[in-house]
Amino acid sequence: MEIFVWYLLIREEIIVGKREEQRKELFRVIWKIANEQRGAVDGWDFKQYILGTLFYRFISENLTNYINKLDSGVSFDNMKDEEVEEGKNDIINEKGFFIYPSHLFSNVIKKLNIPEFKQHLNENLNKILKSIENSSMGFPGEENFKGLFSDYDVNSDKLGVTIEDRNKRLTNLLLAINDLKLGNLCDNTIDLFGDAYEYLMAMYASSAGKSGGEFFTPQEISELLAQLVIGDKTSVSKVYDPACGSGGLLLKFAKILGKNNVHKGFFGQELNPTTFNLCRINMFLHDINYEKFNIACGNTLLKPKHKNDEPFEAIVSNPPYSVSWEGDTNPLLINDDRFSPAGVLAPKSKADLAFVMHCLAWLDTNGTAAIVNFPGALYRGGTEQKIRKYLVDNNFIDAIIQLPSNLFFGTTITTCIMVLKKSKKTNDILFIDASREFESHINSNKLSGTNIANILKYFKNRVDISNISKLVVNTNVVAKNYNLSINTYVVQENIREPIDIDVLNQQIKTTVSKIDTLRKEIEKITAELK
């Protein structure tokens, strides 16, 4: 047994070491790409080309590996296009898409040595990407591939003013991604897309602060949210995120449970079309096949796309903070099944609790939802207080967890997590102050593995811990006018050094006496000098 434990520990160390090496290699290539186009293209605008090229290489390798395992005798990338026509439809039905051998990433890299191909690279690449998208038309995977490369505009001025400039930049980009030494991208141990995305946001911090944080949740926070929802379960039926961004939160379930243990798949909706495409790309990058995910584009609060798929056993979300919505200016919303139970709508200028009500409405009776909230939604008055009253009176709130400040891109505020359940066994709410559970980094704070483990331990044990957690019966929350802010229930530890007033007064008295003596000495010396 002891030998087996040592084996597991050594194996984990090897995996962690390999993961760090792969991450460094990924960052090296991204830095190289960014450095080459510095000053010519806005870095944040260029991100979709980096991520899109990573995706193009990934699906090329993924499809090649899949077909080669069918044992055709010849490697797919060495076959001629006309030789694969016969089995093309079967492959599309299975994988959702098709790439001709001549269009594979590896073969395009080889063609960069052909002057004529390279001279018209933008046209050739556009034709290839359109061919990949169009391969799914009329097949079950059509919706998940439609417009997937729409942001990879090879004729955009973002790549350069002249065609020559664009082709040069595209060539350098393809070669750099090809230079990425991770072996087969399908077998890498890192979160390729998540790590690349996070590194790009850190690199272009000023732009990311404006547009990146609104659809990206740092991986360690995604880990915490997913673990809060999973608990002791080894599988879930369906996972849902109503503001899914680039999909990192959904994919944490695949990483923690294994993609096959999310039995009925991954569901999400995203308002931003560019991010919607990134999310679908992210699904494929994690080898989630087209029939196992359903990502929609649109406004979740006004036009939810998954009415026929709810309820969901697992819901996680980091929705935009205090974003405006139609609220009571739309007379239809108060009759919406998601919002009507509370009798009021969230304020027009603050949709935080509208997302909470949406998640609750679509939560399964045996499910759990974990939603990141702006702190104001926990204590503000008006209609928000009435919504909190509905949530507390019906015993839907399981826990409120205060996170450390400066965890998210673009904001330094302290956020909170609201955990919802429909089938609670006790009438109480657990309040956890995790504001000190972090490690300081240069530009932000991070949740370490130990920090996450501590928060999960507090959440699972549900006991009072001085200055950290408090289990409060619902009637006491009612007595506090449905205020759900952490500091109402958990008293922060006083870490200031205690001061003995008597001792302090004596020290002041002694100091004043010394000053008086010194002043007299100075006056005496001055008089002698005169």
Side-chain angles (χ1 to χ4, degrees):
M1 184 66 179
E2 186 175 340
I3 295 174
F4 180 67
V5 171
W6 274 107
Y7 164 75
L8 291 178
L9 290 172
I10 293 171
R11 180 175 176 271
E12 180 63 21
E13 285 185 10
I14 292 172
I15 292 173
V16 170
K18 183 179 179 182
R19 185 181 300 130
E20 286 307 309
E21 286 300 313
Q22 290 178 335
R23 188 173 283 119
K24 288 178 182 177
E25 171 64 11
L26 174 66
F27 293 168
R28 179 191 69 80
V29 169
I30 292 176
W31 176 257
K32 176 185 175 184
I33 295 169
N35 204 39
E36 286 176 349
Q37 56 81 34
R38 188 182 301 276
V41 184
D42 182 84
W44 189 240
D45 287 336
F46 197 62
K47 71 185 184 305
Q48 60 256 41
Y49 293 99
I50 298 175
L51 297 171
T53 307
L54 275 169
F55 175 59
Y56 173 37
R57 177 181 163 183
F58 173 85
I59 59 173
S60 294
E61 292 182 0
N62 182 278
L63 186 66
T64 300
N65 289 342
Y66 170 77
I67 294 175
N68 286 348
K69 286 179 181 178
L70 299 177
D71 195 23
S72 60
V74 181
S75 181
F76 182 63
D77 56 339
N78 290 327
M79 297 177 72
K80 295 180 179 179
D81 289 354
E82 56 268 23
E83 294 176 334
V84 300
E85 282 289 350
E86 186 176 345
K88 174 183 171 182
N89 288 355
D90 291 337
I91 293 169
I92 298 174
N93 278 318
E94 180 62 31
K95 298 295 292 182
F97 68 98
F98 186 79
I99 306 175
Y100 283 102
S102 65
H103 291 174
L104 291 170
F105 180 86
S106 59
N107 285 331
V108 168
I109 292 296
K110 294 175 183 176
K111 290 179 184 178
L112 292 178
N113 294 317
I114 303 173
E116 186 177 353
F117 182 87
K118 188 175 178 179
Q119 184 180 356
H120 301 284
L121 178 59
N122 63 324
E123 297 175 12
N124 292 323
L125 199 54
N126 184 59
K127 188 182 301 182
I128 289 170
L129 299 182
K130 289 295 182 185
S131 173
I132 296 172
E133 279 186 11
N134 294 338
S135 69
S136 65
M137 291 181 64
F139 290 85
E142 179 176 356
E143 285 303 312
N144 284 331
F145 271 88
K146 185 185 296 182
L148 203 57
F149 290 102
S150 61
D151 290 309
Y152 202 105
D153 185 357
V154 296
N155 296 308
S156 171
D157 288 342
K158 293 176 182 178
L159 287 173
V161 177
T162 67
I163 293 177
E164 184 180 0
D165 288 339
R166 294 169 195 166
N167 285 334
K168 182 179 179 181
R169 196 153 283 119
L170 286 170
T171 299
N172 291 340
L173 178 59
L174 289 167
L175 290 173
I177 296 299
N178 183 62
D179 188 44
L180 192 58
K181 296 177 176 62
L182 296 180
N184 192 314
L185 290 190
C186 304
D187 298 328
N188 67 82
T189 63
I190 61 174
D191 181 356
L192 182 74
F193 190 88
D195 285 341
Y197 202 90
E198 191 164 359
Y199 188 69
L200 283 165
M201 291 226 305
M203 186 182 295
Y204 306 117
S206 60
S207 296
K210 292 180 287 185
S211 58
E214 66 188 46
F215 50 74
F216 181 81
T217 303
Q219 294 180 50
E220 66 273 11
I221 300 173
S222 300
E223 175 84 17
L224 174 60
L225 289 167
Q227 293 283 12
L228 287 168
V229 168
I230 291 169
D232 296 327
K233 294 179 179 178
T234 56
S235 66
V236 295
S237 59
K238 291 182 287 186
V239 182
Y240 173 66
D241 183 347
C244 61
S246 54
L249 266 171
L250 292 171
L251 289 164
K252 274 297 174 184
F253 287 82
K255 183 176 181 180
I256 295 170
L257 296 173
K259 63 182 181 181
N260 294 327
N261 290 318
V262 181
H263 299 303
K264 295 183 180 179
F266 305 81
F267 298 78
Q269 187 164 338
E270 171 55 34
L271 178 62
N272 184 299
T274 295
T275 320
F276 161 65
N277 284 337
L278 293 179
C279 184
R280 292 187 294 163
I281 287 174
N282 208 1
M283 291 291 155
F284 287 112
L285 279 173
H286 284 78
D287 206 19
I288 308 295
N289 215 19
Y290 73 92
E291 77 277 3
K292 286 296 294 285
F293 71 86
N294 186 325
I295 307 300
C297 187
N299 189 314
T300 300
L301 297 181
L302 303 181
K303 295 181 180 179
K305 303 287 188 177
H306 294 101
K307 291 181 180 180
N308 296 327
D309 302 305
E310 58 99 0
F312 299 98
E313 184 181 354
I315 298 178
V316 284
S317 192
N318 177 24
Y321 309 140
S322 296
V323 68
S324 297
W325 74 309
E326 292 185 6
D328 58 14
T329 60
N330 184 339
L332 300 177
L333 288 175
I334 193 60
N335 296 316
D336 191 303
D337 291 342
R338 298 168 297 160
F339 310 123
S340 60
V344 293
L345 296 169
K348 293 190 291 292
S349 60
K350 303 175 182 69
D352 306 85
L353 293 183
F355 281 103
V356 170
M357 290 296 293
H358 170 81
C359 291
L360 178 65
W362 285 15
L363 182 63
D364 207 341
T365 53
N366 69 332
T368 303
I371 309 148
V372 179
N373 278 167
F374 185 81
L378 303 180
Y379 60 78
R380 290 186 295 238
T383 57
E384 288 182 302
Q385 183 186 39
K386 293 178 180 179
I387 294 173
R388 294 196 303 272
K389 179 181 187 301
Y390 167 76
L391 296 172
V392 173
D393 288 350
N394 288 278
N395 199 30
F396 291 134
I397 302 178
D398 188 54
I400 302 289
I401 303 168
Q402 181 170 310
L403 296 174
S405 61
N406 202 24
L407 290 178
F408 294 89
F409 291 98
T411 179
T412 60
I413 63 169
T414 301
T415 54
C416 298
I417 298 173
M418 181 182 290
V419 182
L420 302 175
K421 289 183 179 180
K422 281 187 173 178
S423 301
K424 289 174 59 184
K425 296 179 180 179
T426 57
N427 293 304
D428 51 34
I429 300 172
L430 178 67
F431 292 86
I432 300 173
D433 183 356
S435 59
R436 294 182 186 170
E437 290 288 349
F438 67 91
E439 290 184 354
S440 295
H441 287 246
I442 296 174
N443 296 316
S444 64
N445 294 326
K446 298 283 186 182
L447 295 180
S448 68
T450 300
N451 297 139
I452 293 172
N454 287 340
I455 296 170
L456 293 172
K457 180 179 67 177
Y458 305 144
F459 177 72
K460 182 177 181 180
N461 292 343
R462 293 185 78 80
V463 295
D464 291 355
I465 303 174
S466 180
N467 309 125
I468 295 176
S469 62
K470 184 74 174 178
L471 192 62
V472 181
V473 295
N474 289 345
T475 52
N476 287 347
V477 177
V478 175
K480 297 289 185 181
N481 293 318
Y482 300 96
N483 188 328
L484 297 176
S485 60
I486 296 290
N487 57 16
T488 303
Y489 307 97
V490 181
V491 179
Q492 283 200 344
E493 182 183 4
N494 186 357
I495 59 175
R496 292 178 298 179
E497 184 179 349
I499 299 174
D500 189 318
I501 298 298
D502 292 334
V503 173
L504 180 60
N505 284 334
Q506 184 59 47
Q507 289 174 342
I508 292 173
K509 186 177 180 180
T510 301
T511 301
V512 170
S513 176
K514 289 180 179 179
I515 291 172
D516 287 341
T517 301
L518 182 61
R519 183 180 292 113
K520 290 177 181 178
E521 290 292 330
I522 292 172
E523 288 175 352
K524 183 179 178 182
I525 293 171
T526 303
E528 291 176 355
L529 289 173
K530 289 181 178 179

